[in-house]
Amino acid sequence: ENRINWSLQAIQSASDLSSMERQEFDQAGQALSQIKQWLDEAESFMRSIVSLKKNLDAAKRDAPGEIQAAQTDIQAAGEYVSRYDEDIREGLETDLAAAGQVLSQAQQELSKQKPDYLDIVKLAKRANASADKILEQARSEREEAVRLREKAASSLRDATAAVSKAAEYIEDHRSDVESGAKAHLRDARANLESAKDARTLQDRITYAGQAESEADSAYRDAKSDVSDAEERRRPVVVVTSTPSYHSNWGTTRTTPSRHDDGPSGGTSSWGSRGGGLGGGTSNWGTHGGGLGGGSSPFGGSKGGGLSGGTSKW
């Protein structure tokens, strides 16, 4: 309205300046340029006002719903945080309280005689977005806490089993197990107790992992100690071959004894006793104790076998 009024006044002034009496055409042209600028601004303002009216009407229509939506989401986030409080950090509760304050500002603006509906919608949407973000983060932290608890429980269970396995093995073979394995077992037990007493889930997982590692080392070293001990206790078996020899003066034997009680006796150049089944053969005489007796080229012999021996003498 101001720009329209200014333009009407400027038109009258431009008309006077361009009259035949004054003929101040340059100043009249400047006034016309100013009039055009004011009218352009007035037209732009009118477009903005029309658009603003549409936005205001939409905001006025949507404001109550936006406030209700924000209130619902803030309540849902608050209930979730309260239900799983131990799994959710306290910072989210602070953020939730801040979102509630923003929503209160929107509600107070709506209660005014001439509310700023655009501001109400903006505040309500901001509170709603904060509530959605808080709820998303709360759920994420809750799920992470559940996974962490499950991991902590499984880690503690695995560590307990490993320590028990190592302890039982070392107890069963305590006389063969060296100090190194026992030291690992002591460390494993200490870490296992620390895991049970841990105040945070992450600490429990860490201590349980160390306990399982030490227990595995104890078991591995103990098995190596037992294996070494069994190897030391194992009897040494020496395998040797029985020597044999041949003599021109005696008998060919498989053992270094004078009498041969084997199945066939022996062979000698000067004489010997053959106690085998076939007796013995001698150049000078022999006793043949085998079934076939003995044979000698020089003298008689005693044939101890079934047929006696043969002698040249």
Side-chain angles (χ1 to χ4, degrees):
E1 291 176 352
N2 287 333
R3 280 157 179 74
I4 291 174
N5 291 333
W6 295 342
S7 297
L8 291 173
Q9 295 173 6
I11 289 174
Q12 184 61 47
S13 176
S15 178
D16 293 342
L17 291 172
S18 61
S19 64
M20 293 301 294
E21 291 81 8
R22 300 182 61 174
Q23 296 187 11
E24 297 178 13
F25 300 112
D26 290 340
Q27 294 181 3
Q30 293 175 2
L32 290 174
S33 296
Q34 182 64 64
I35 291 171
K36 183 179 184 304
Q37 181 180 346
W38 284 334
L39 291 177
D40 289 340
E41 290 178 354
E43 184 179 2
S44 177
F45 288 161
M46 289 305 298
R47 287 196 302 268
S48 297
I49 289 172
V50 172
S51 176
L52 179 59
K53 185 177 186 303
K54 292 180 180 179
N55 292 334
L56 285 172
D57 290 341
K60 182 178 180 180
R61 180 188 67 244
D62 297 340
E66 292 291 348
I67 289 178
Q68 182 61 43
Q71 188 172 8
T72 300
D73 288 350
I74 289 175
Q75 183 177 356
E79 290 176 353
Y80 191 91
V81 170
S82 178
R83 184 183 307 120
Y84 303 109
D85 182 66
E86 62 177 3
D87 296 333
I88 298 172
R89 56 188 173 88
E90 295 181 358
L92 288 185
E93 296 180 358
T94 303
D95 295 342
L96 190 61
Q101 292 177 356
V102 173
L103 179 60
S104 296
Q105 294 177 14
Q107 292 171 332
Q108 291 174 4
E109 183 65 29
L110 183 63
S111 65
K112 293 180 179 179
Q113 185 177 1
K114 291 185 178 181
D116 185 344
Y117 292 107
L118 292 175
D119 193 41
I120 292 172
V121 171
K122 181 177 66 175
L123 291 172
K125 287 186 175 180
R126 192 172 80 185
N128 197 340
S130 296
D132 290 343
K133 184 177 180 180
I134 291 169
L135 183 58
E136 180 182 357
Q137 291 177 342
R139 286 173 175 169
S140 178
E141 291 182 9
R142 158 68 177 169
E143 292 172 358
E144 178 63 23
V146 171
R147 287 194 296 268
L148 203 61
R149 272 198 298 271
E150 291 176 351
K151 184 177 180 180
S154 64
S155 297
L156 187 62
R157 182 175 59 251
D158 293 344
T160 301
V163 170
S164 177
K165 177 182 176 181
E168 291 173 1
Y169 187 87
I170 291 175
E171 176 64 21
D172 293 342
H173 303 85
R174 55 185 176 277
S175 61
D176 294 333
V177 176
E178 302 293 338
S179 59
K182 295 177 181 179
H184 282 303
L185 180 59
R186 286 195 299 271
D187 291 342
R189 283 172 167 166
N191 280 297
L192 183 59
E193 291 302 317
S194 297
K196 293 177 180 179
D197 298 336
R199 303 185 66 179
T200 66
L201 294 175
Q202 188 58 55
D203 288 343
R204 178 170 298 175
I205 293 171
T206 300
Y207 283 121
Q210 293 173 355
E212 184 177 4
S213 178
E214 290 290 346
D216 290 343
S217 296
Y219 182 75
R220 182 175 59 252
D221 291 352
K223 287 193 67 176
S224 179
D225 293 341
V226 171
S227 178
D228 293 343
E230 290 178 350
E231 186 67 25
R232 289 192 300 268
R233 285 193 296 268
R234 185 175 300 170
V236 178
V237 178
V238 179
V239 180
T240 59
S241 60
T242 304
S244 63
Y245 61 90
H246 179 81
S247 172
N248 291 329
W249 306 99
T251 302
T252 301
R253 304 178 183 275
T254 58
T255 57
S257 62
R258 177 153 180 79
H259 296 281
D260 188 355
D261 294 327
S264 60
T267 303
S268 174
S269 299
W270 301 103
S272 66
R273 293 182 181 181
L277 295 176
T281 302
S282 173
N283 292 329
W284 302 103
T286 182
H287 293 280
L291 293 176
S295 174
S296 172
F298 293 106
S301 64
K302 295 181 180 180
L306 295 178
S307 62
T310 301
S311 173
K312 292 183 179 181
W313 301 101

